[in-house]
Amino acid sequence: MGKKRVYTFGNGQAEGRADMKNLLGGKGANLAEMNLIGVPVPPGFTITTEVCSEYYEIGQDKIVAILKEDVEKAIKHIETLMNSKFGDVANPLLVSVRSGARASMPGMMDTILNLGLNDEVVEGLTRKTGNARFAWDSYRRFVQMYGDVVLGLKPTNKDDIDPFEAIIEEVKHVKGVKLDNELEVADLKELVVKFKAAVKKQTGKDFPTNAYEQLWGAICAVFNSWMNERAILYRKMEGISAEWGTAVTVQAMVFGNMGETSATGVCFSRDAATGEDLFNGEYLINAQGEDVVAGIRTPQQITKIGSLRWAALAGVSEADRASKYPSMEEALPDIYKELDALQTKLENHYRDMQDMEFTVQEGKLWFLQTRNGKRTGAAMVKIAMDLLRQGILNEKEALLRVEPNKLDELLHPVFDKDALKKGKVLTRGLPASPGAACGQIVFFADDAAKWYADKKKVIMVRIETSPEDLAGMQVAEGILTARGGMTSHAAVVARGMGKCCISGAGALNIDYKNKTVEIDGIVLQEGDFISLNGTTGEVYAGKVETKAPELSGDFAELMGLADKYTKLTVRTNADTPHDAEVARRFGAVGIGLCRTEHMFFEGEKIKAMREMILAQDVEGRRKALAKILPYQQADFKGIYRAMDGFPVTVRLLDPPLHEFVPHDEKGQQEMAEAMGVSLQYIQQRVNALHEQNPMLGHRGSRLGNTYPEITAMQTRAILGAALELKKEGVAVYPEIMVPLTGILYEFKEQEKIIREEAAKLFAEMKDSIDFKVGTMIQIPRAALTADRIATSAEFFSFGTNDLTQMTFGYSRDDIASFLPVYLEKKILKVDPFQVLDQNGVGKLIRMATEGGRSIRPDLKCGICGEHGGEPSSVKFCHKVGLNYVSCSPFRVPIARLAAAQAAIEEG
Ligand code: ADP
Ligand code: MG
């Protein structure tokens, strides 16, 4: 016996089951399961997803030959159960042909209803049912769908109109009616004739009349729809693999368009937007299939409470509601009761919120689909916690139900939904950092700061951003850039700040000189309002109102539950007291990375920093560093205070110095004046700092080793601040981190400077404090020689941004030039700067952790790259046995949940 390609279901029996989604698709597997648990489902069969892959390998003709016998047998199975015959005139069986992938891809692929009709069969159906309107309504729907989907009449450009819709409009116009259901039998007949003529004109062929010919056409069309543009795009967005393929389900038709006791609808066992435990949905009397979602007629609510709420929102009076738009609960009370009982049964069976499709044929209820419903982040949390309280899930199951990344939606300001609907979309970019932002356009960081000081809300609009823009980004509501990808400077920094950002909006034409931005012919000036939806990448004209997210009790409860199971702790990357406070509120238990360079960009600080870098000699540097010291010390105090007793890892200066110096003449002139030297001298120094490849150049511990006075000053600031707070009774646990170690002696040199300066400071202050000196592992050599480095270093923190960069040899600033092609060609599955490369970079982390702990068994190891807030990477860190992950404040809850899931999944 060959491979089984066709699985039948019907009459309480099925060859498939719910857990066969990979083979039967979600729809097929759940149709089988519903049969098995006694939910009424029209009989049918499912052709497996494997056949879809075969189809793309060997082509249409061979597949049809292979399937022929199985499909004919399965049609017989339906015929027997339905007591009718496929293609028969007197007693016809009609079927639907439906797509269904492993993961639900709503509306992305094609479905054909009422298949099996032709000019004779429609007459037979009329005689059999005594309902000509129904028979011809079904026929015209079939010719239209088949023409669109199988015969290719559906326009590919969304601006073109569907030829069939054009014909319907014309007929309705002549007749003077508005709605499809106002057409009479004669009109429907006319539609069919005109539809078929359109098919003949476009394809040169007659509309197929043979039922089996129609069936094979439809089956192959569903396979083809797996590769349509919409489906490909959707898969890309959702990370669904093209290899999975779609299944095809062929199922006996049940008819919601047979009159006033027939209906069709869609329902949810709970509210998908808010999570409220309230059965809800919409239905239409005397309608079929997609009518409810297609928006041709106004659908009615299923429950009375839903109907009342709807009427209030739509401004419909109670008299109108009750007479024109009654709920199903009121209009068809018996069917409603049955529907309500079955939706409860399905939710209890699947133990999750269900999204269901049903049809009522002359008073009999049939289910056509059920699946775990898609939901918003807020609904996801509420539903999981409700199911826990209702005893349907246990704690571990509830935690596993929540998708860490989706928590992000709950943490950022959000747009008012109604306001969004009214907004005008100007253009789209990459949804680089989620959230909602609304403000006035500014183009420069200093303008942003000024406007902010004047209490204005601003959106920074830039071609791209650089570290110099940081101060502006910090005060902006959101950031919009014309260039750059998801890992661009703007994107990374914005995510770090939890700030809404759209990057790479290519349609932006920015004119810095005139302070304007042109988008598809519309010119906006500095000061004009725009709104950004960082969750979708949409840029709106004008003000769209936002509101702060409500972190409900459920969210807090969920986080508490996560902490109960987690082994990994979660720290944050924070450079300011504000970020540290935000992270504490989100549950961070320490700072894993405090980048000191970010402290130098504001106002007077950058001047002192520039003076230090541009100084002629050690003396000059010392003088400038002395000016910086109090600033740094004050910054650290703020951060320590915010972390209130939790450990704080401070990284010594890491980036190449040229990033700090002015590259424009105005700035250079300013420095020349401030330092009392010539402009030429400044320009010379700036040029001397230029490097071919700064990422691999004079940075990290190389800076500290060539300019030891920088390390000494920073040590003094870090420990000095700690001592001051100690006096105030605040507990502080500083951890000094040497960046970019590659060689043990590089680290040892730095450690010596740190300890000597500490000893000096402690003697001066006549006080001391415990601290650790460890290193960041960013260079593969450090990972390879971790057992040597651990002889001196007291902790490791994996800087996976650099480690990824150096392991792959990809500059993260230049990856945008080839990454899209690499992803397209599947050379890379994901962007390694977003998702930790477990096989390569991960192997180095594992090795280094083991190597380090072979020397120092209690070596504390953590990760502080962007990956520290990415769920799959967090789970990997758990497996490797790291002590903590550190991520940007707004990722802290995500990391906490992922860490708990890792512990639970391990068992
Ligand atoms: P999608 O995956 O786009 O939701 P479906 O295959 O679920 O497509 O079908 C589209 C619509 O047609 C749905 O409303 C569904 O309930 C309806 N439908 C599908 N098959 C049948 C059938 N055998 N009888 C009646 N309605 C059907
Ligand atoms: Mg469906």
Side-chain angles (χ1 to χ4, degrees):
M1 214 183 95
K3 172 157 73 171
K4 187 167 172 61
R5 293 188 172 82
V6 173
Y7 287 71
T8 59
F9 57 83
N11 206 22
Q13 293 184 354
E15 292 178 315
R17 279 189 323 268
D19 62 6
M20 291 166 73
K21 288 197 176 67
N22 293 357
L23 195 60
L24 302 179
K27 201 179 286 168
N30 285 335
L31 283 168
E33 185 83 2
M34 283 197 283
N35 261 287
L36 296 175
I37 63 169
V39 174
V41 170
F45 60 89
T46 301
I47 304 170
T48 66
T49 54
E50 288 175 0
V51 178
C52 183
S53 308
E54 283 181 284
Y55 175 87
Y56 282 103
E57 270 163 40
I58 62 176
Q60 181 158 341
D61 294 345
K62 286 192 181 144
I63 274 298
V64 171
I66 290 176
L67 284 176
K68 193 162 184 293
E69 200 179 316
D70 291 346
V71 165
E72 284 173 4
K73 233 167 81 189
I75 288 279
K76 290 246 151 56
H77 158 83
I78 307 181
E79 288 175 342
T80 310
L81 292 177
M82 293 300 288
N83 203 9
S84 57
K85 207 164 164 2
F86 191 50
D88 193 57
V89 173
N91 183 20
L93 166 70
L94 303 189
V95 296
S96 64
V97 179
R98 318 175 65 186
S99 54
R102 230 188 252 198
S104 105
M105 297 170 55
M108 294 300 133
M109 292 179 292
D110 293 319
T111 289
I112 292 139
L113 304 181
N114 309 329
L115 187 140
L117 281 167
N118 61 30
D119 291 350
E120 285 86 51
V121 174
V122 72
E123 298 295 353
L125 190 63
T126 306
R127 283 191 294 274
K128 180 178 164 188
T129 58
N131 188 341
R133 193 178 187 289
F134 149 71
W136 283 95
D137 183 50
S138 304
Y139 192 22
R140 75 96 191 152
R141 287 170 188 270
F142 168 58
V143 177
Q144 181 174 357
M145 274 193 201
Y146 200 89
D148 271 339
V149 172
V150 185
L151 304 177
L153 267 70
K154 181 156 47 192
T156 42
N157 188 335
K158 74 170 193 298
D159 296 330
D160 297 343
I161 25 173
D162 180 308
F164 299 117
E165 289 300 334
I167 294 171
I168 295 178
E169 281 316 309
E170 184 197 307
V171 170
K172 280 201 287 197
H173 181 75
V174 171
K175 191 141 177 117
V177 299
K178 280 216 181 84
L179 298 174
D180 290 9
N181 60 353
E182 290 168 333
L183 295 172
E184 290 164 33
V185 175
D187 308 319
L188 297 169
K189 284 186 181 175
E190 186 187 338
L191 283 183
V192 170
V193 172
K194 289 199 161 148
F195 284 177
K196 290 208 286 192
V199 166
K200 177 90 189 221
K201 187 163 158 234
Q202 185 110 2
T203 65
K205 287 190 213 135
D206 285 319
F207 192 87
T209 53
N210 177 281
Y212 270 105
E213 188 188 339
Q214 292 174 353
L215 180 62
W216 289 115
I219 290 173
C220 293
V222 170
F223 284 144
N224 287 335
S225 72
W226 178 248
M227 286 296 177
N228 74 26
E229 247 171 72
R230 271 177 303 163
I232 290 172
L233 194 74
Y234 186 82
R235 284 201 292 274
K236 217 186 231 166
M237 269 165 44
E238 298 281 305
I240 296 172
S241 161
E243 276 107 66
W244 288 1
T246 180
V248 181
T249 293
V250 178
Q251 191 175 20
M253 280 305 299
V254 287
F255 301 99
N257 55 339
M258 285 187 81
E260 296 306 303
T261 54
S262 299
T264 185
V266 175
C267 57
F268 298 85
S269 62
R270 292 171 195 242
D271 192 313
T274 64
E276 185 181 0
D277 185 5
L278 191 70
F279 177 45
N280 66 96
E282 294 178 331
Y283 81 112
L284 273 177
I285 291 207
N286 199 9
Q288 196 174 42
E290 244 108 59
D291 291 0
V292 174
V293 271
I296 304 169
R297 282 158 58 193
T298 308
Q300 289 153 239
Q301 295 295 310
I302 288 182
T303 61
K304 181 158 181 205
I305 175 165
S307 182
L308 291 171
R309 285 186 190 181
W310 165 83
L313 284 173
V316 173
S317 73
E318 175 56 18
D320 267 5
R321 185 202 71 77
S323 61
K324 290 193 200 139
Y325 310 103
S327 66
M328 188 175 184
E329 191 172 354
E330 295 156 291
L332 302 169
D334 292 341
I335 299 282
Y336 170 79
K337 266 189 216 118
E338 201 186 334
L339 182 69
D340 191 19
L342 286 170
Q343 67 89 11
T344 306
K345 178 177 181 145
L346 282 170
E347 182 179 278
N348 288 340
H349 182 71
Y350 287 98
R351 304 163 74 229
D352 200 355
M353 187 261 274
Q354 295 298 294
D355 165 355
M356 298 153 285
E357 291 171 5
F358 65 88
T359 282
V360 181
Q361 177 176 334
E362 299 191 306
K364 163 124 183 75
L365 174 65
W366 297 92
F367 270 68
L368 289 161
Q369 190 167 345
T370 192
R371 62 186 156 204
N372 295 340
K374 293 199 187 293
R375 63 204 76 177
T376 64
M380 168 185 78
V381 171
K382 171 151 176 58
I383 290 173
M385 297 311 286
D386 278 348
L387 288 173
L388 170 65
R389 284 187 285 261
Q390 290 160 357
I392 297 168
L393 300 179
N394 64 32
E395 287 181 353
K396 289 181 179 178
E397 288 168 331
L399 280 167
L400 291 175
R401 276 295 168 79
V402 181
E403 203 183 308
N405 271 330
K406 256 186 114 60
L407 286 181
D408 207 35
E409 282 177 39
L410 277 73
L411 309 177
H412 299 265
V414 287
F415 277 124
D416 198 71
K417 278 210 191 76
D418 300 325
L420 259 194
K421 274 189 209 138
K422 289 182 210 132
K424 172 180 162 47
V425 177
L426 288 173
T427 186
R428 285 183 174 77
L430 298 171
S433 181
C438 170
Q440 289 175 277
I441 296 176
V442 291
F443 297 96
F444 298 96
D446 45 353
D447 289 334
K450 260 183 250 146
W451 290 45
Y452 178 75
D454 292 343
K455 305 236 174 321
K456 287 180 182 158
K457 295 193 166 178
V458 298
I459 304 266
M460 245 184 91
V461 179
R462 300 280 309 162
I463 296 174
E464 54 199 348
T465 66
S466 73
E468 291 184 41
D469 297 321
L470 216 74
M473 295 171 73
Q474 196 123 37
V475 298
E477 298 295 306
I479 297 123
L480 170 64
T481 70
R483 286 200 213 127
M486 299 285 287
T487 55
S488 65
H489 177 268
V492 172
V493 172
R495 281 200 293 272
M497 295 174 173
K499 191 153 287 188
C500 168
C501 173
I502 297 175
S503 64
L508 260 54
N509 258 321
I510 298 172
D511 180 345
Y512 284 139
K513 223 170 110 221
N514 292 311
K515 297 194 177 177
T516 61
V517 51
E518 182 259 331
I519 307 171
D520 292 333
I522 299 175
V523 178
L524 300 173
Q525 317 276 343
E526 182 184 56
D528 286 351
F529 276 92
I530 53 169
S531 301
L532 310 180
N533 188 343
T535 314
T536 61
E538 282 163 324
V539 181
Y540 288 84
K543 282 191 222 180
V544 179
E545 291 308 319
T546 63
K547 52 180 193 187
E550 281 162 37
L551 294 184
S552 64
D554 282 330
F555 177 81
E557 255 182 69
L558 178 79
M559 285 294 118
L561 213 53
D563 291 346
K564 182 168 163 187
Y565 291 96
T566 194
K567 298 208 176 95
L568 208 55
T569 59
V570 178
R571 295 196 190 184
T572 190
N573 299 349
D575 311 336
T576 64
H578 172 76
D579 285 356
E581 271 160 31
V582 171
R584 279 282 296 121
R585 258 187 279 132
F586 288 146
V589 290
I591 289 181
L593 176 64
C594 174
R595 285 163 291 206
T596 50
E597 55 271 18
H598 284 178
M599 297 177 177
F600 292 119
F601 279 102
E602 285 161 43
E604 283 302 299
K605 301 187 201 173
I606 186 71
K607 260 202 193 145
M609 183 69 178
R610 286 175 171 170
E611 229 177 287
M612 189 277 289
I613 296 166
L614 297 168
Q616 288 175 324
D617 48 25
V618 188
E619 258 336 289
R621 274 200 296 279
R622 288 231 169 92
K623 237 173 70 196
L625 282 166
K627 288 189 198 165
I628 297 173
L629 177 68
Y631 290 127
Q632 281 244 303
Q633 190 149 325
D635 282 335
F636 290 138
K637 272 176 75 177
I639 288 171
Y640 293 151
R641 198 172 274 131
M643 290 320 282
D644 195 22
F646 287 115
V648 175
T649 304
V650 181
R651 178 177 75 183
L652 302 177
L653 198 63
D654 183 29
L657 296 180
H658 82 101
E659 281 192 9
F660 299 93
V661 293
H663 293 276
D664 60 313
E665 201 174 305
K666 185 170 155 255
Q668 292 174 344
Q669 187 64 48
E670 221 174 80
M671 284 317 295
E673 279 162 27
M675 293 171 68
V677 294
S678 70
L679 175 64
Q680 254 166 330
Y681 168 77
I682 298 287
Q683 286 172 338
Q684 246 170 25
R685 281 290 296 150
V686 170
N687 287 342
L689 285 169
H690 174 79
E691 290 177 306
Q692 290 301 341
N693 200 339
M695 269 302 143
L696 301 177
H698 195 178
R699 55 173 284 219
S701 57
R702 298 159 206 168
L703 278 179
N705 278 324
T706 46
Y707 300 141
E709 54 281 2
I710 300 179
T711 301
M713 181 281 286
Q714 291 204 295
T715 302
R716 191 164 268 270
I718 294 166
L719 298 178
L723 285 177
E724 283 186 23
L725 281 188
K726 184 181 167 192
K727 273 204 208 103
E728 294 175 21
V730 179
V732 183
Y733 299 97
E735 300 172 338
I736 300 177
M737 178 153 78
V738 176
L740 219 70
T741 294
I743 307 165
L744 171 63
Y745 289 96
E746 245 172 352
F747 177 81
K748 282 193 144 182
E749 278 291 315
Q750 285 294 289
E751 191 196 2
K752 199 169 114 217
I753 298 162
I754 293 165
R755 297 220 184 266
E756 279 173 9
E757 189 67 25
K760 247 185 358 203
L761 176 72
F762 293 165
E764 285 167 28
M765 305 283 293
K766 300 200 174 53
D767 196 1
S768 70
I769 193 157
D770 277 342
F771 66 98
K772 284 198 167 77
V773 187
T775 188
M776 203 160 167
I777 308 275
Q778 291 147 290
I779 296 185
R781 192 180 189 284
L784 294 167
T785 60
D787 53 345
R788 289 175 56 76
I789 290 174
T791 57
S792 285
E794 292 176 306
F795 63 88
F796 283 175
S797 174
F798 294 97
T800 48
N801 294 345
D802 266 306
L803 194 58
T804 299
Q805 182 156 256
M806 302 210 206
T807 302
F808 277 93
Y810 297 158
S811 155
R812 86 197 262 238
D813 298 312
D814 299 320
I815 193 171
S817 56
F818 60 89
L819 182 68
V821 179
Y822 268 44
L823 293 173
E824 186 74 31
K825 294 195 165 171
K826 305 215 172 64
I827 295 171
L828 285 172
K829 277 212 186 86
V830 287
D831 178 350
F833 290 103
Q834 284 184 29
V835 179
L836 185 76
D837 161 49
Q838 299 185 6
N839 293 333
V841 179
K843 195 166 180 180
L844 284 173
I845 293 176
R846 189 188 294 269
M847 248 174 80
T849 306
E850 284 167 8
R853 287 188 183 151
S854 70
I855 299 303
R856 206 185 274 271
D858 60 348
L859 183 77
K860 198 159 28 153
C861 296
I863 177 180
C864 64
E866 280 274 299
H867 305 97
E870 191 282 316
S872 71
S873 312
V874 172
K875 289 183 181 181
F876 176 80
C877 293
H878 169 92
K879 269 188 231 136
V880 176
L882 298 193
N883 302 85
Y884 68 86
V885 296
S886 186
C887 56
S888 53
F890 280 83
R891 307 288 305 175
V892 166
I894 296 164
R896 284 167 75 194
L897 180 65
Q901 290 183 341
I904 293 169
E905 281 159 7
E906 199 178 55

